[in-house]
């Protein structure tokens, strides 16, 4: 005789520190059915984009996600460039690719740490996150920021690379290459780790295709799909040769190995970019207004295919900006993997897709005025900030 | 199947039901059809063109009408199927039995634009708050958000 009951998990959920809500129908330790409720991070970005100019939107879409901010910016910038009819110069394109690959390196290292943490291997988490600081420092050196780099702009990139910066990037990546080899050996041979992730969260190839999985989730199930290969953007393809990484296993282990291999591919790509970096301008001048038209722009973000649909109407504001981030595309596959799994495997199965809830949710409105004393308006918040820093001896220019 | 084959196959099977076909870029194809032909077109795309990846569905409001855009991706093409809809009766058939990946995309558009997907087994609210008023669709052009002033006590 079996009996089931419903186990609510979330909105504060077990994998990442972001809100989404699950309802698991469980029979003992086995998950029979899984349901999902999104929207806790909806911020109205697509609606907001319609009332802002293209340049404002560029920085708005960058804030859809902290981890793949550069991927969002690249996708939006290249989509709008197509509508404007401008083409970034060679050096701009190479730096654009370099930023994308460095961002992938930091994201995959971050994911490895989280995966280690979810299976109770916190040493691994400490190691990968320590090493991730190397690439974070490189990103900060190039762009001035640890997240939200602000590097992409219409017609190219915002900052150039100096020769001494290139030397530092080469040095940093050489170090990470050695570390990644260590992680790959560990992930593929260390028996407790392998025992914990092999065979967990199975997704057969035909299901991955049917459910529209993207990125490392699809590639871990043997689906050879990568926007860098299928729909080469920026310099990929002819100028920057790219090799796709797939695994046949269809479990969390396969997703781990795919990401480790992609790290090596990213190091190779960065190496190629830096060795063949063309001289010259980094951007061309872009018009303020965009002629009427529509376009689809795709980028391989760290988590998979990121697609933008942009419709312009001849003004300096877009008519419609639609964003589909990879995390949303992977949810149907995640629910499939969760069915039939053990309750104890829920966190790692969810984390194996590297879900980003800020990406999944993009559009809702905060209406917190139900007598909540903590609901502050913008001016109060600003005053609080000024007071906060004044007490600590920091004065802002506006105060005279 | 290359891009020309895709174009020829669509023209052969859909004939004059295909209202428009444009290729603004080498890897981008836009096709306009009516809502009644959507299921047949999707079946054609899945079975004859062998395209199995639905990237997403875009819903939009032009002010006069609603549009649903189905973006299908292959190894060398993004095929966008555009379906114009009447603003007062926006009803589309679901394509879940052909492309199961559409499940959340259809629910999201149902929430935000009020397009009803006939045959979708589960059109519960996905992304909007639970207390969101019925019949208000925030992505429509006539919906404007006025931020209420916060309360300071």
């Amino acid at each position: 005789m079996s009996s089931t009951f419903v186990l609510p998990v979330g909105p504060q959920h077990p994998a990442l520190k972001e809100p989404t809500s699950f309802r698991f129908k469980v029979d003992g330790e086995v998950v029979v059915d899984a349901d999902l409720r999104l929207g806790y991070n909806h911020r109205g970005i697509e609606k907001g984009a319609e009332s802002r100019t293209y340049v404002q939107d560029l920085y708005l879409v960058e804030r859809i996600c902290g981890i793949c901010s550069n991927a969002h910016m690249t996708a939006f910038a290249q989509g709008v460039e197509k509508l404007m009819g401008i083409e970034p110069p060679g050096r701009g394109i190479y730096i654009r690719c370099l930023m994308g690959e460095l961002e992938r390196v930091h994201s995959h290292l971050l994911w490895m740490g989280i995966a280690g943490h979810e299976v109770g291997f916190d040493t691994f988490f400490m190691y990968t996150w320590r090493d991730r600081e190397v690439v974070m420092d490189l990103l900060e050196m190039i762009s001035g920021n640890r997240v939200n780099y602000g590097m992409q702009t219409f017609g190219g990139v915002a900052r150039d690379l100096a020769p001494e910066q290139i030397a530092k990037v080469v040095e940093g990546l050489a170090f990470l290459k050695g570390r990644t080899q260590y992680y790959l050996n560990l992930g593929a041979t260390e028996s407790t780790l392998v025992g914990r992730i092999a065979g967990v969260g199975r997704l057969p190839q035909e299901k991955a295709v049917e459910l529209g999985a993207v990125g490392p989730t699809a590639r871990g199930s043997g689906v050879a799909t990568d926007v860098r290969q299928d729909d080469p953007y920026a310099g990929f393809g002819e100028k920057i040769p790219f090799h796709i990484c797939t695994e046949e296993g269809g479990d969390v282990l396969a997703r781990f190995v795919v990401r480790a291999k992609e790290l090596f591919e990213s190091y190779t790509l960065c190496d190629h970019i830096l060795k063949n970096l063309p001289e010259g301008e980094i951007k061309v001048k872009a018009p303020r207004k965009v002629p009427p038209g529509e376009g689809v722009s795709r980028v391989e973000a760290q988590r998979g295919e990121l697609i933008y649909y942009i419709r312009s109407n001849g003004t300096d504001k877009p008519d419609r900006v639609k964003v589909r981030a990879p995390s949303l595309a992977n949810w149907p596959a995640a629910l499939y993997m969760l069915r039939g799994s053990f309750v104890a495997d829920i966190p790692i199965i969810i984390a194996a897709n590297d879900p980003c809830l800020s990406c999944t949710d993009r559009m809702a409105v905060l209406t917190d005025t139900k007598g909540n004393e903590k609901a502050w308006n913008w001016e109060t918040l600003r005053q609080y900030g000024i007071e906060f820093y004044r007490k600590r001896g920091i004065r802002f220019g506006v105060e005279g | 199947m290359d891009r020309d084959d895709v174009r020829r196959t669509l023209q052969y099977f859909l004939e004059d039901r295909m209202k428009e076909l444009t290729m603004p870029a080498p890897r981008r194809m836009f096709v306009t059809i009516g809502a009644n032909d959507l299921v047949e077109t999707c079946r054609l795309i899945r079975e004859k063109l062998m395209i199995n990846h639905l990237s997403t569905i875009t819903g939009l409001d032009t002010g006069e009408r609603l549009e649903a855009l189905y973006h299908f991706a292959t190894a060398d093409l993004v095929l966008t199927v555009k379906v114009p809809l009447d603003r007062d009766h926006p009803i589309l058939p679901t394509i879940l039995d052909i492309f199961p990946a559409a499940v959340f995309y259809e629910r999201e558009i149902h929430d935000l634009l009020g397009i009803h997907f006939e045959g979708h087994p589960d059109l519960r609210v996905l992304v909007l708050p639970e207390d969101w008023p019925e019949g208000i669709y925030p992505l429509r052009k006539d919906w404007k958000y006025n931020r209420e002033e916060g309360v300071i006590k």
Side-chain angles (χ1 to χ4, degrees):
Chain A
M1 198 186 105
S2 74
S3 62
T4 59
F5 74 96
V6 175
L7 176 71
V9 177
Q12 300 307 321
H13 80 113
L16 299 173
K17 313 296 175 271
E18 293 175 274
T20 187
S21 178
F22 295 94
R23 293 287 179 276
F24 295 110
K25 200 185 270 180
V26 295
D27 180 1
E29 277 297 303
V30 179
V31 177
V32 182
D33 201 5
D35 188 25
L36 172 72
R37 172 74 161 86
L38 302 169
Y40 299 94
N41 251 358
H42 243 225
R43 289 160 292 162
I45 284 183
E46 286 181 18
K47 184 80 177 179
E50 292 172 9
S51 58
R52 287 167 171 81
T53 66
Y54 285 97
V55 178
Q56 288 173 322
D57 283 338
L58 189 61
Y59 296 93
L60 181 69
V61 299
E62 186 183 24
R63 276 147 185 83
I64 288 176
C65 172
I67 303 279
C68 35
S69 61
N70 185 69
H72 280 279
M73 224 183 180
T74 305
F76 186 67
Q78 72 185 15
V80 174
E81 279 163 4
K82 282 263 163 58
L83 295 172
M84 286 172 169
I86 57 172
E87 179 91 19
R91 194 174 173 88
I93 283 193
Y94 272 59
I95 296 176
R96 179 172 285 181
C97 286
L98 178 76
M99 286 305 289
E101 293 313 309
L102 288 178
E103 193 186 46
R104 194 181 316 278
V105 169
H106 104 66
S107 175
H108 279 8
L109 286 173
L110 176 139
W111 176 85
M112 281 187 173
I114 300 227
H117 171 70
E118 298 301 348
V119 298
F121 190 6
D122 276 315
T123 318
F124 194 57
F125 167 71
M126 299 288 176
Y127 271 7
T128 51
W129 279 49
R130 181 196 66 188
D131 296 338
R132 175 173 169 265
E133 283 304 304
V134 173
V135 69
M136 294 305 279
D137 287 346
L138 295 178
L139 284 163
E140 187 183 355
M141 174 190 72
I142 295 169
S143 70
N145 295 312
R146 276 171 65 90
V147 287
N148 293 353
Y149 314 108
M151 278 290 278
Q152 312 301 335
T153 179
F154 301 128
V157 291
R159 284 179 175 222
D160 203 354
L161 270 179
E164 59 270 21
Q165 290 180 324
I166 293 175
K168 280 192 179 143
V169 174
V170 170
E171 189 189 339
L173 292 181
F175 169 76
L176 286 176
K177 210 169 179 174
R179 296 300 299 169
T180 307
Q181 188 60 51
Y182 173 68
Y183 298 143
L184 182 59
N185 294 346
L186 201 70
T189 58
E190 215 282 319
S191 58
T192 46
L193 182 57
V194 172
R196 188 68 184 79
I197 59 177
V200 172
R202 281 209 176 277
L203 181 70
Q205 184 174 6
E206 66 274 12
K207 275 287 166 193
V209 170
E210 187 186 313
L211 296 172
V214 295
T217 305
R219 292 194 284 277
S221 294
V223 185
T225 167
D226 191 311
V227 181
R228 288 173 288 177
Q229 176 175 281
D230 300 343
D231 191 4
Y233 58 93
F236 292 112
E238 288 169 24
K239 290 178 196 154
I240 305 172
F242 167 74
H243 302 283
I244 195 163
C245 311
T246 56
E247 276 290 311
E248 299 298 325
D251 54 5
V252 177
L253 176 63
R255 278 159 232 151
F256 182 97
V257 176
V258 162
R259 285 191 175 89
K261 284 186 179 172
E262 283 187 13
L263 281 171
F264 286 114
E265 184 60 30
S266 289
Y267 301 144
T268 313
L269 287 170
C270 289
D271 202 40
H272 181 93
I273 291 165
L274 293 172
K275 280 201 179 110
N276 298 287
L277 193 63
E279 293 298 322
E281 293 295 313
I282 53 167
K283 63 182 166 198
V284 294
K285 197 167 162 42
R288 285 176 66 87
K289 290 183 178 175
V290 180
E294 60 183 346
V296 176
S297 171
R298 296 204 298 162
V299 158
E300 185 72 19
Q302 299 88 302
R303 295 161 167 124
E305 176 203 31
L306 168 65
I307 179 166
Y308 269 63
Y309 171 83
I310 304 159
R311 181 177 288 189
S312 54
N313 53 11
T315 65
D316 60 349
K317 290 172 185 163
D319 207 38
R320 175 80 169 98
V321 179
K322 159 76 185 177
V323 185
R324 201 276 283 135
S327 295
L328 181 62
N330 276 334
W331 277 120
L335 293 182
Y336 173 84
M337 291 177 225
L338 287 163
R339 289 182 191 117
S341 72
F342 291 116
V343 172
D345 289 338
I346 291 172
I348 182 62
I349 291 175
I350 295 171
N353 277 355
D354 199 5
C356 171
L357 279 313
S358 294
C359 281
T360 310
D361 304 345
R362 296 164 311 282
M363 301 162 290
V365 174
L366 186 71
T367 48
D368 188 3
T369 47
K370 295 172 186 165
N372 183 345
E373 291 182 13
K374 285 186 178 167
W376 286 0
N377 64 15
W378 172 244
E379 190 50 38
T380 325
L381 191 67
R382 188 172 166 271
Q383 279 307 326
Y384 175 80
I386 292 172
E387 281 300 316
F388 180 89
Y389 284 105
R390 185 185 290 155
K391 278 185 205 151
R392 285 156 182 79
I394 300 166
R395 299 179 73 86
F396 290 100
V398 287
E399 295 176 81
Chain B
M1 188 172 274
D2 71 8
R3 294 187 276 268
D4 284 334
D5 292 334
V6 169
R7 183 172 51 79
R8 274 194 293 268
T9 313
L10 285 171
Q11 273 162 348
Y12 177 76
F13 282 100
L14 290 174
E15 297 172 334
D16 58 345
R17 284 175 296 166
M18 188 165 72
K19 295 182 187 107
E20 199 186 356
L21 188 149
T22 53
M23 287 196 71
R27 287 171 176 272
R28 299 285 183 267
M29 191 185 285
F30 290 81
V31 171
T32 309
I33 57 157
N36 295 334
D37 302 317
L38 177 66
V39 171
E40 195 194 326
T41 309
C42 287
R43 197 147 286 174
L44 181 70
I45 288 169
R46 181 74 189 83
E47 286 162 12
K48 295 279 191 310
L49 302 180
M50 309 303 265
I51 299 177
N52 49 32
H53 185 66
L54 171 71
S55 278
T56 192
I57 310 172
T58 300
L60 63 83
D61 180 9
T62 63
E64 291 110 49
R65 59 170 195 274
L66 300 180
E67 278 178 19
L69 294 95
Y70 294 72
H71 307 286
F72 300 95
T74 71
D76 70 344
L77 181 72
V78 179
L79 169 65
T80 300
V81 175
K82 199 184 286 186
V83 189
L85 288 166
D86 181 10
R87 223 160 169 274
D88 299 322
H89 305 283
I91 299 173
L92 272 175
T94 180
I95 57 162
L96 272 188
D97 44 349
I98 311 164
F99 290 96
V103 57
F104 290 134
Y105 307 146
E106 290 188 352
R107 277 176 73 181
E108 186 185 18
I109 293 175
H110 177 252
D111 274 17
L112 299 172
L113 279 159
I115 296 177
H116 185 80
F117 289 90
E118 252 175 0
H120 194 299
D122 174 21
L123 281 176
R124 282 172 302 155
V125 169
L126 179 72
V127 290
L128 289 177
E130 257 127 32
D131 55 356
W132 189 265
E134 238 178 81
I136 305 281
Y137 305 113
L139 258 189
R140 291 204 185 184
K141 290 282 183 200
D142 49 8
W143 188 85
K144 297 265 188 307
Y145 176 60
N146 298 309
R147 185 179 284 272
E148 291 174 50
E149 280 297 305
V151 184
I152 316 151
K153 284 180 184 166

